[in-house]
Amino acid sequence: MTLKVIPFLLLGAEYGHLLTLRRLCGIGFFICFTIPKLYACYSSQINQKVEHMKCRVLTAWGTCSHKKMVAASAVTAFWNLSSVKTRIFTAFVSLVILRCCRQQLLPNQEEGRTKATTGINDGRNDLPEPVV
């Protein structure tokens, strides 16, 4: 056992009597129906906040002058604080994300190339139709 689990053991020793199987089942049942409903009601606000945070992170990353140092520090911290199973799972999820992005980007690039070489304009004319 490593030192990473000590806070959980201390919390379990102090407040473990409050978590019974019946309460865990009740909380799980409540959360199972509440979280999807809340997301359905507030999905536009949640998506707006996520887009805002994504823009903030991307602008901060764009202005960062030590990108390689920050990335190396993040990888080192992850490597030291995670187990082998977590590393393997992270590698698998990263591979899936990269393949998904590649599959979405390749058709868009090919579509742009065919439009540029063939002059196809999606059926739209640049000039307005004459009025008779």
Side-chain angles (χ1 to χ4, degrees):
M1 204 172 316
T2 63
L3 294 175
K4 292 185 269 185
V5 297
I6 286 180
F8 297 111
L9 292 175
L10 289 173
L11 283 172
E14 189 69 29
Y15 301 107
H17 67 281
L18 297 174
L19 293 175
T20 62
L21 184 60
R22 187 175 185 174
R23 285 185 183 168
L24 285 175
C25 289
I27 291 170
F29 183 79
F30 180 73
I31 287 175
C32 181
F33 291 104
T34 305
I35 298 298
K37 181 65 176 174
L38 287 174
Y39 180 74
C41 291
Y42 297 107
S43 62
S44 61
Q45 288 97 342
I46 292 171
N47 291 336
Q48 189 178 28
K49 293 279 186 185
V50 167
E51 288 298 322
H52 177 69
M53 288 303 297
K54 195 162 83 170
C55 287
R56 285 185 66 185
V57 167
L58 288 176
T59 55
W61 183 255
T63 59
C64 180
S65 60
H66 303 294
K67 290 180 180 143
K68 290 181 182 177
M69 183 65 82
V70 170
S73 299
V75 168
T76 303
F78 175 76
W79 187 265
N80 289 332
L81 297 175
S82 64
S83 66
V84 175
K85 290 179 185 178
T86 307
R87 294 176 199 155
I88 292 171
F89 181 73
T90 304
F92 173 73
V93 169
S94 300
L95 182 68
V96 169
I97 290 171
L98 286 173
R99 283 191 177 189
C100 180
C101 289
R102 190 175 291 163
Q103 285 177 354
Q104 288 180 354
L105 289 177
L106 287 178
N108 292 342
Q109 290 175 350
E110 290 175 3
E111 192 175 291
R113 287 183 192 148
T114 57
K115 284 182 185 176
T117 57
T118 60
I120 296 174
N121 212 5
D122 285 345
R124 298 184 207 135
N125 294 329
D126 292 332
L127 300 173
E129 292 186 22
V131 178
V132 180

